[in-house]
Amino acid sequence: MTELFSVNQLAEALGVTPRAIRFYEVKGLIQPRRAGTTRVFDRRDRARLLLVLRGKRLGFSLAEIREFLDLYDTDRTQVSQATMLLGRVRTRIEELEQQRRDLDQTLAELRAVEREAQGALRQRGALPETTTKNAAD
Amino acid sequence: MTELFSVNQLAEALGVTPRAIRFYEVKGLIQPRRAGTTRVFDRRDRARLLLVLRGKRLGFSLAEIREFLDLYDTDRTQVSQATMLLGRVRTRIEELEQQRRDLDQTLAELRAVEREAQGALRQRGALPETTTKNAAD
DNA sequence: CCACAGGGTGACGCATAGGTCAACTTGTTT
DNA sequence: AAACAAGTTGACCTATGCGTCACCCTGTGG
């Protein structure tokens, strides 16, 4: 009872266009099976696509995301493979740690701006929003 | 004694090309002064450029980075301005928090892969690297 | 005076990440 | 049979983010 999906179903479920999904396949990020000519996706494909989308949210290119996905697929039983894997994984980890530093710093600065704006409004009698819920929706 | 820089100096200092810097100016991310026709950058320009580069490392487009920079420039003395600023800053903060969740999750997964690779190597007698220092440099 | 370095402005080129047709096949419905 | 929905491929289009000329100006040293 492995559930299967069509491109359209999967696209809608993940909030992307079918075109994008097909494009990712062309780029080698996913390899859905086929029923005749029709693409058939299972849960593993869906999981991979989720990883792709997360990679995109983190700002990586499709090529980088592909390398990232390859890390999961690498054969760990071959010493040479495992060694390369280890090196690459560590490189990736360091990149992401740099990104996290950037992120934290940016967040800190934005929170400072937020407080300043709140303070400015308070001084002028405009009641400041206490909740973090979007005030501009 | 405000030190000034040329495009080339600044480019080299920040590890980008002069072309990129000029491009950022065209896109409105920076507004260096001019001595005649020659661009002249001061420390504020340099600071802005650093913010631009950090934004890029976080995967934002130049347009997004521009909006981000505008947050710092917004006039906080006008209630309407401060209100909009607050809304936008909060939106940005939420985006970045999402990004951080993605980042942490990805890091956790990569660390798991790292441990697996280490374990596989240990089992095969290959001495695993204990340090996190680059093994592949 | 002449060369040369350093800076400037176009203008074109290129890769990435898809959007947007167009034209066809296939399965289903009526 | 005819129409329709859902797929497919292929070709072309578009916006970003620069790289790469080509060509021009200008100040300085020899």
Side-chain angles (χ1 to χ4, degrees):
Chain A
M1 58 165 294
T2 320
E3 22 173 0
L4 305 175
F5 318 89
S6 70
V7 219
N8 285 348
Q9 288 177 324
L10 192 54
E12 175 156 11
L14 302 190
V16 301
T17 65
R19 171 66 171 115
I21 293 182
R22 297 195 187 103
F23 188 70
Y24 299 154
E25 182 183 358
V26 169
K27 291 301 174 174
L29 301 184
I30 49 178
Q31 291 112 5
R33 286 175 294 172
R34 300 274 179 148
T37 86
T38 301
R39 291 172 179 80
V40 176
F41 300 81
D42 60 18
R43 293 217 286 298
R44 282 205 63 236
D45 297 316
R46 184 179 127 287
R48 267 181 96 89
L49 260 174
L50 285 174
L51 289 180
V52 170
L53 299 184
R54 200 173 66 191
K56 294 210 66 189
R57 286 198 299 275
L58 290 175
F60 292 107
S61 70
L62 296 188
E64 289 170 318
I65 292 171
R66 190 192 170 162
E67 290 173 28
F68 173 79
L69 290 175
D70 288 347
L71 299 180
Y72 287 98
D73 298 342
T74 303
D75 176 21
R76 290 141 170 80
T77 68
Q78 304 277 332
V79 171
S80 57
Q81 295 293 295
T83 304
M84 279 191 37
L85 174 61
L86 194 53
R88 290 180 184 166
V89 165
R90 283 175 174 166
T91 300
R92 277 297 184 133
I93 288 176
E94 284 180 37
E95 285 171 26
L96 291 177
E97 283 173 344
Q98 171 62 48
Q99 194 167 341
R100 191 155 73 152
R101 284 190 292 276
D102 287 331
L103 198 48
D104 286 345
Q105 208 179 331
T106 304
L107 267 170
E109 289 168 14
L110 283 183
R111 292 202 172 103
V113 172
E114 183 187 15
R115 280 191 296 277
E116 278 184 47
Q118 275 181 326
L121 284 178
R122 197 154 31 228
Q123 270 197 329
R124 280 150 221 286
L127 64 164
E129 312 288 338
T130 308
T131 71
T132 307
K133 288 295 175 188
N134 294 337
D137 286 357
Chain B
M1 63 165 290
T2 319
E3 22 174 1
L4 303 175
F5 319 89
S6 70
V7 219
N8 285 348
Q9 289 177 323
L10 192 54
E12 176 156 9
L14 303 190
V16 301
T17 65
R19 172 70 173 110
I21 293 182
R22 297 194 187 103
F23 188 71
Y24 299 156
E25 183 183 0
V26 170
K27 291 301 174 175
L29 300 183
I30 49 178
Q31 292 108 13
R33 287 177 293 172
R34 299 274 179 147
T37 85
T38 301
R39 291 173 180 79
V40 176
F41 301 82
D42 60 17
R43 294 217 286 298
R44 282 204 63 235
D45 296 318
R46 185 179 127 285
R48 268 182 95 88
L49 260 173
L50 285 174
L51 289 180
V52 170
L53 299 183
R54 199 173 67 190
K56 294 209 64 187
R57 286 198 300 274
L58 290 175
F60 293 107
S61 71
L62 297 188
E64 289 170 319
I65 292 171
R66 190 191 172 166
E67 290 173 27
F68 173 79
L69 291 175
D70 287 347
L71 299 181
Y72 287 98
D73 299 341
T74 303
D75 176 20
R76 291 141 170 78
T77 68
Q78 303 276 333
V79 171
S80 57
Q81 295 293 297
T83 304
M84 277 191 39
L85 173 60
L86 194 53
R88 289 181 184 165
V89 166
R90 283 176 174 167
T91 300
R92 277 297 184 134
I93 288 176
E94 283 180 38
E95 285 172 25
L96 292 176
E97 283 173 344
Q98 171 60 48
Q99 194 168 341
R100 190 152 76 147
R101 283 190 291 277
D102 287 331
L103 197 50
D104 286 344
Q105 207 179 332
T106 304
L107 267 170
E109 289 168 14
L110 283 183
R111 292 203 172 102
V113 172
E114 183 187 15
R115 279 192 297 276
E116 278 183 49
Q118 275 181 327
L121 284 178
R122 195 154 31 227
Q123 269 198 332
R124 278 149 223 288
L127 64 164
E129 312 288 336
T130 307
T131 70
T132 307
K133 289 295 174 186
N134 295 337
D137 287 355

